[in-house]
Amino acid sequence: MAPPNGSPRGTWRMAEALLSVRGLVAGYGETEVLRGVDLEVGPGEIVAVLGSNGVGKTTLNKTLSGVIRAAAGEIYFGGQRIDHLAPPAIVAAGLIHVPEARRIFPDMSVRENLELGSYRRGKAERAANIEKVFDTFPRLRERRAQLAGTLSGGEQQMLAIGRGLMGQPRLLILDEPSLGLSPLLVEEMFALIVHLNAEGMTILLVEQNVMQSLAIATRAHVLENGRFALSGRGEDLARDPELEKTYLGM
Amino acid sequence: MFAPEIVIAAVINGLLTGAVYALVSVALTLVYGVLHIINFAHGAILTAAMFAAFFAEQAGVDPLIAVFGLAPLFFVLGYGAQRYIIGPASHGEDSNTLLVTLGLSILIENALLAAFGSDTRTIDVPYGFSTVDLGFVFLPAPRVIAFAVTCVTATLLWALLKKTDTGKAIRAVAKEKLGAALVGIDVAHVYAVTFGLGAACLAIAACVLLPSYYVQPRVGDAYVFVAFTVVVLGGMGSAPGAMIGGLFIGVVESLSGLYFGESLGQLGIFVIFILALLVRPTGLFGARA
Ligand SMILES: Nc1ncnc2c1ncn2[C@@H]1O[C@H](COP(=O)(O)OP(=O)(O)O)[C@@H](O)[C@H]1O
Ligand SMILES: [Mg+2]
């Protein structure tokens, strides 16, 4: 079988896709936000989903992690169909979603937040993984006893990602991790994503930072009107004149 | 003016009563803090637990022994009520939850009324009239026991919330439901566990109250009124606030009984309730909105 459109040739085949989404329809009550999304993420990839505000990127993530029920379509993760599963079972399978706006536990310490990251998965390796997260984010080690709600925005984002890593993700979904960070921290965030990926982490990256995302993404999609309007390799999309049109809706 | 020993004795007596208030209030505030609902069935559950303790005693089991069966039983009943009745019937709407718990409370109270009538019943336990001698004051043994049991319960609850994954999950859900769901915490399960813990606390309160109190189908209401005051005073959803507030209210009641007469003891509580609402108007609903 040929690799899907735009995937780096030979790195993986469709049948081996870690995440495979077909004809996904989802929304809120009567409002359809996603109207037929097809998405594949292969092991070791960074797949970026781009799109302007309110287009449905977060809705896609929430549907993948089971917080919102899909109205139609199929989601397969590691070969297992997961669109009927609730979040605990999806987390247990290793699909970990680091949400927009961090959603850390504000009145619990940094350490307690990390501990809860392994509530459903990775409990046996909890102590070792906390050390790994502290090695990745030395700031968090310094502040391990501090209440999470008192951390700076950048530190809270590190904590949110660290908490996600505690669940030993097979697929890590990052929803706008660079949102609200200073330019310097945005650079660090993208460097971190590249670093995690280099260590073998498969990542689905949702961003509004288009050019930086395309620079690190294996493949990327632009979401528009409930569907992917543009798809391709990151570097190709970055040069595609259609991108500006689609993305800016011109 | 009263002699210092008399005032100190009144304070100690107030602390003993306050401990049970604290226990009933912790249960109320815990459920509020996590589910963000005021459980209107709180008083009815306490009443039901007191009836359970009463009939256990009639069958020859002292309430202090029965508590080891009734606390788990009420945990299971509370868990089931939230998971299979209140939760599904509310469709995620807080206002529905309120109505469902109100309905549940009416159901329980009327069932008790139909089954047992409105008579007040009391039990006689061997330690019912024993006292603990502090030198300057004799304290009634049942209430000293109630105080001790409350302290043990509060410590266990604290350890559960601070040290165990279940407790951490409860605290996580209280403040950040989506974040909790995304680390794989089953929110519906945590809601039910919390409701069950609340019911178990009420069962414990019932078992320590009964030896020095009476039971009747509306007996829980008086305690719930006090618990509301305590919870508003201590901050909605704050367990330490409920503990301290409960003890404080107990002392206020005891002192106002001393100074204004036994029958006016509850007046002090009412004044505090109004004051708390005036001074902390956000206290009652602000935490949610
Ligand atoms: N809980 C909700 N209930 C109803 N509509 C929602 C809800 N969350 C998001 N929406 C709507 O769904 C659309 C997509 O939102 P979202 O997925 O958050 O977009 P994005 O993440 O791309 O900014 C928006 O129009 C938004 O208003
Ligand atoms: Mg979003």
Side-chain angles (χ1 to χ4, degrees), chain A residues 3-245:
Chain A
N5 189 21
S7 86
R9 212 168 310 224
T11 49
W12 60 278
R13 294 161 182 276
M14 273 278 237
E16 300 166 355
L18 184 56
L19 179 74
S20 175
V21 177
R22 288 179 212 145
L24 184 65
V25 177
Y28 307 90
E30 296 293 290
T31 332
E32 270 186 10
V33 176
L34 305 177
R35 299 193 182 89
V37 168
D38 297 300
L39 172 68
E40 306 275 337
V41 180
E45 282 195 300
I46 297 178
V47 173
V49 173
L50 311 170
S52 44
N53 219 349
V55 82
K57 305 180 297 295
T58 296
T59 304
L60 172 63
N61 291 344
K62 285 184 174 174
T63 313
L64 295 177
S65 50
V67 175
I68 298 174
R69 272 292 149 89
E74 293 162 16
I75 306 171
Y76 290 87
F77 181 66
Q80 177 197 8
R81 189 160 174 185
I82 61 164
D83 47 83
H84 60 284
L85 296 182
I90 294 177
V91 170
L95 189 157
I96 310 283
H97 170 185
V98 177
E100 185 176 52
R102 294 131 198 177
R103 301 285 183 173
I104 51 162
F105 309 122
D107 61 352
M108 300 174 78
S109 71
V110 165
R111 175 176 277 279
E112 285 177 314
N113 267 270
L114 292 176
E115 286 168 354
L116 279 177
S118 55
Y119 178 86
R120 185 67 61 184
R121 186 177 153 89
K123 206 177 265 192
E125 297 85 9
R126 177 177 284 178
N129 286 340
I130 286 183
E131 283 309 310
K132 272 194 215 161
V133 170
F134 283 160
D135 289 343
T136 310
F137 304 107
R139 298 280 295 189
L140 295 184
R141 176 179 278 126
E142 284 169 31
R143 296 172 182 271
R144 59 186 175 276
Q146 191 171 325
L147 293 187
T150 66
L151 296 174
S152 74
E155 290 162 351
Q156 293 194 6
Q157 187 62 60
M158 292 177 198
L159 180 58
I161 294 177
R163 187 181 67 183
L165 294 174
M166 290 297 296
Q168 302 184 329
R170 294 172 67 202
L171 172 68
L172 185 66
I173 299 181
L174 299 175
D175 195 334
E176 304 217 29
S178 74
L179 192 71
L181 300 187
S182 69
L184 189 67
L185 284 178
V186 171
E187 291 302 324
E188 281 184 24
M189 184 55 65
F190 279 94
L192 170 75
I193 295 168
V194 170
H195 167 77
L196 289 175
N197 179 248
E199 298 210 310
M201 185 70 69
T202 308
I203 294 169
L204 180 63
L205 174 66
V206 163
E207 263 294 342
Q208 293 206 49
N209 245 317
V210 180
M211 284 309 163
Q212 272 162 305
S213 303
L214 291 178
I216 66 166
T218 333
R219 292 179 305 115
H221 305 275
V222 179
L223 185 60
E224 197 191 43
N225 291 323
R227 287 198 182 82
F228 288 152
L230 265 185
S231 299
R233 290 161 51 121
E235 56 211 76
D236 295 344
L237 268 189
R239 280 186 263 106
D240 191 335
E242 283 292 310
L243 176 70
E244 211 168 330
K245 270 199 205 165

